[in-house]
Amino acid sequence: MRFNRMLLSTTLVIVALVIQVSVLARLQLPGAVPDLLLLTVLGLALVYGHVGGALVGFGAGLLADLAPPADHAAGRYALVLCVIGYLAGLARPDNGQLKSATGPMAVVVAAAIGSTLLYAGVGALVGDTAARHVGLGSLLFTAALYDLLLAPFVVPGIMALARRADNDPLAEAGGSSKATDVSAGWISSGTGLRIGSQRGGLRAKAAKARVARAGRIKGVKRL
């Protein structure tokens, strides 16, 4: 990984972990806790690919294993996020573009469910049966729900930052590109905001206003 990728990934992971531990973990929501660290890994993996996603996932998971108040064996969450980051990176399109947010949203749901199952499975191997007492079904449902609700506000921004750090031409193309960017498509499709159509409508109205104004001016001159 290049230096700018390492610096950005480290910064985002640390910020996500601090928010995860100090804010989200204290909300006391029923079931699971919204996993901001997982969403950060997913956003970076969808830009960096499977190798970068695996490296970022391993580092983020290891940091979460060592950060207080961790109550599980070190390396457990690192293994989970390493696998999830690798698989999420495989879902990255070759051209880096998607016309719909359906694909990334499916990745979030699959990652939330897969990480919960994998974490519980590794815990069962080392004798941790906490998930069995809490209820695995409720954990799976709430983890997928919370992460899916939080993802549209986190993943697109992380993907945009990652592309800018890489000097990706797709990040600079913006509205001039005919294909919809992954992050822009996520916001427009995932949240129901028709950003592109609204901008197009405003531009069309502005053009019509200029034409009408020019017609009035020409009419006055002729008189």
Side-chain angles (χ1 to χ4, degrees):
M1 296 180 68
R2 295 193 293 268
F3 176 75
N4 54 350
R5 286 190 175 188
M6 295 176 60
L7 181 61
L8 177 65
S9 301
T10 302
T11 303
L12 291 177
V13 166
I14 292 176
V15 172
L17 182 60
V18 170
I19 298 176
Q20 178 83 27
V21 174
S22 61
V23 178
L24 298 179
R26 298 184 179 182
L27 294 179
Q28 296 183 353
L29 297 173
V33 176
D35 200 338
L36 184 60
L37 196 60
L38 173 64
L39 297 178
T40 302
V41 172
L42 291 180
L44 294 173
L46 289 174
V47 176
Y48 296 157
H50 58 283
V51 176
L55 293 175
V56 172
F58 179 80
L62 186 60
L63 186 62
D65 288 331
L66 300 177
D71 57 353
H72 54 268
R76 181 176 170 184
Y77 202 46
L79 173 62
V80 172
L81 287 187
C82 181
V83 174
I84 296 298
Y86 180 85
L87 295 178
L90 294 177
R92 175 183 178 269
D94 295 334
N95 58 358
Q97 296 179 348
L98 286 175
K99 294 182 179 181
S100 173
T102 304
M105 291 172 68
V107 170
V108 170
V109 174
I113 296 176
S115 62
T116 304
L117 288 175
L118 187 57
Y119 186 83
V122 175
L125 293 177
V126 297
D128 185 0
T129 59
R132 186 182 307 172
H133 299 292
V134 175
L136 186 58
S138 63
L139 284 178
L140 292 174
F141 175 76
T142 53
L145 178 62
Y146 296 154
D147 291 347
L148 188 60
L149 292 176
L150 187 61
F153 305 98
V154 177
V155 179
I158 291 177
M159 294 176 66
L161 288 174
R163 283 186 171 167
R164 285 186 177 276
D166 273 359
N167 295 322
D168 194 331
L170 291 175
E172 299 176 358
S176 61
S177 177
K178 294 182 180 180
T180 305
D181 184 74
V182 174
S183 57
W186 190 313
I187 295 176
S188 61
S189 300
T191 61
L193 298 178
R194 299 180 180 177
I195 300 177
S197 61
Q198 289 179 354
R199 288 180 177 176
L202 291 176
R203 290 175 181 174
K205 291 180 180 179
K208 291 180 180 179
R210 287 195 296 269
V211 172
R213 190 180 304 113
R216 290 195 298 268
I217 293 174
K218 290 181 179 179
V220 171
K221 289 183 177 179
R222 289 177 182 177
L223 291 176

